Amino acid sequence: MKTCRSVKTLLPTAALLSVFMSSCDNSTFDITETESETSCLNVITRSATGSKDLQTQVFAFDMDGTCVARTDADSDYHLNLELGKQYHITAIATSGTCYSIPKDVSRESIIRMTGNEGWAISSLEMARTDVTTSKSTSTLSLQMQFAVTCLTVELTGIPEEYDTVMLSFPDMGTGLSMSGNIETGGTVSIGLEKRGEVWTCDPFHVFPGTKDKQEFNVRLIKGDTECITAVSTNQTFKAGTPYHITGTFADGDFLIEGHIGQASWNTPENMTFQFGPRI
């Protein structure tokens, strides 16, 4: 297979925003003053999107990272804990079956996407905090935050002879620990489909990378010939921030002009780039 490559550096016109935060609330709201040997912790979660359709699980870990209590996705969020001890609380919410959590979970267990491509259709939300059980009954309220990045892609003007268009993102996250740490080193690949004159795909979610400069490749394939265009940015994709990647091929020079910016939520902050091999 014949391959041609080009590499350009992407210069942002404005900084991208990171929205991903973990809650840090070491206090509980006391319901009753009656003390006992055990403490019932009632957990209330608030989705980042306000959706009531998410499947939420809540986990309590002791200071050694061992899971001592957990709730099922379809149960009430009540955790029976030992009175007078400190715990790490983690809540996980997703709208589908795109993520797997180990059965014998610990605080350093890794949440992974169930597919092999490194991306998922549905999003993932997380909230984390530490609590100390001081009363027999307490209530904890958690604000969920997005733990993944959402990407959409649109490419136009691609010559008719190309029958396959793909994007690949190296050095992306491969999983997320229950303590909120990203596991890195994976490559995300997504195939585009032609809809009218646009090569695009439905929105997809990825674990963000941790490097300062995010790279991605545009792969155009016709028969046994593949042209790969590499783009290097000065930013990394951030959890909680959706990005819209667009590009248009110019006549003659096989030139792509486009931008990366927030797809929604806040006012887009775009980066403009040009790249592509001459043909």
Side-chain angles (χ1 to χ4, degrees):
M1 178 175 290
K2 183 171 55 180
T3 302
C4 51
R5 296 174 177 266
S6 68
V7 179
K8 295 290 184 178
T9 299
L10 175 59
L11 299 177
T13 58
L16 298 176
L17 302 178
S18 172
V19 185
F20 179 42
M21 298 181 296
S22 61
S23 58
C24 231
D25 184 2
N26 293 322
S27 62
T28 59
F29 180 77
D30 299 329
I31 302 299
T32 176
E33 295 294 329
T34 303
E35 294 188 356
S36 62
E37 292 183 357
T38 61
S39 175
C40 179
L41 182 65
N42 302 311
V43 181
I44 300 172
T45 60
R46 297 191 299 273
S47 168
T49 61
S51 173
K52 297 181 179 180
D53 298 327
L54 298 179
Q55 299 174 358
T56 303
Q57 293 178 273
V58 183
F59 303 83
F61 303 98
D62 62 17
M63 292 297 100
D64 293 329
T66 301
C67 181
V68 296
R70 62 186 291 176
T71 69
D72 295 327
D74 56 355
S75 68
D76 294 332
Y77 307 134
H78 304 311
L79 298 172
N80 292 318
L81 305 173
E82 189 173 343
L83 188 66
K85 289 196 172 183
Q86 188 177 15
Y87 297 92
H88 303 293
I89 306 297
T90 298
I92 301 294
T94 179
S95 58
T97 58
C98 296
Y99 302 89
S100 64
I101 299 174
K103 182 178 180 181
D104 298 325
V105 65
S106 71
R107 194 164 183 257
E108 294 308 316
S109 293
I110 303 297
I111 304 167
R112 300 192 186 279
M113 296 177 179
T114 54
N116 297 322
E117 301 86 358
W119 55 269
I121 296 175
S122 64
S123 65
L124 176 72
E125 298 181 19
M126 172 183 273
R128 296 179 294 109
T129 191
D130 291 348
V131 299
T132 299
T133 54
S134 59
K135 304 297 179 182
S136 62
T137 305
S138 302
T139 297
L140 172 69
S141 181
L142 293 175
Q143 176 62 59
M144 308 296 287
Q145 302 289 344
F146 287 109
V148 291
T149 296
C150 182
L151 301 176
T152 56
V153 180
E154 289 186 350
L155 300 180
T156 58
I158 294 176
E160 292 291 336
E161 60 264 29
Y162 292 103
D163 50 28
T164 302
V165 179
M166 300 187 67
L167 264 68
S168 60
F169 302 84
D171 299 316
M172 297 294 289
T174 58
L176 176 70
S177 74
M178 299 295 284
S179 59
N181 296 317
I182 292 290
E183 179 187 76
T184 59
T187 296
V188 174
S189 296
I190 183 78
L192 306 184
E193 63 179 39
K194 193 173 184 180
R195 301 174 185 174
E197 298 301 319
V198 179
W199 286 85
T200 185
C201 61
D202 294 331
F204 62 100
H205 300 82
V206 297
F207 289 119
T210 57
K211 289 190 174 182
D212 293 335
K213 295 182 179 181
Q214 178 61 54
E215 298 178 350
F216 65 91
N217 299 321
V218 181
R219 299 171 56 199
L220 305 178
I221 301 171
K222 54 179 180 180
D224 62 350
T225 299
E226 179 179 13
C227 282
I228 302 175
T229 301
V231 182
S232 177
T233 77
N234 288 331
Q235 303 288 337
T236 186
F237 294 144
K238 303 292 186 181
T241 303
Y243 300 95
H244 188 53
I245 302 173
T246 63
T248 302
F249 287 92
D251 293 335
D253 284 338
F254 196 52
L255 182 70
I256 293 182
E257 297 179 340
H259 72 272
I260 306 172
Q262 293 186 348
S264 60
W265 295 0
N266 299 315
T267 302
E269 299 195 11
N270 301 325
M271 290 187 240
T272 301
F273 62 89
Q274 297 180 345
F275 66 100
R278 285 182 174 271
I279 57 174

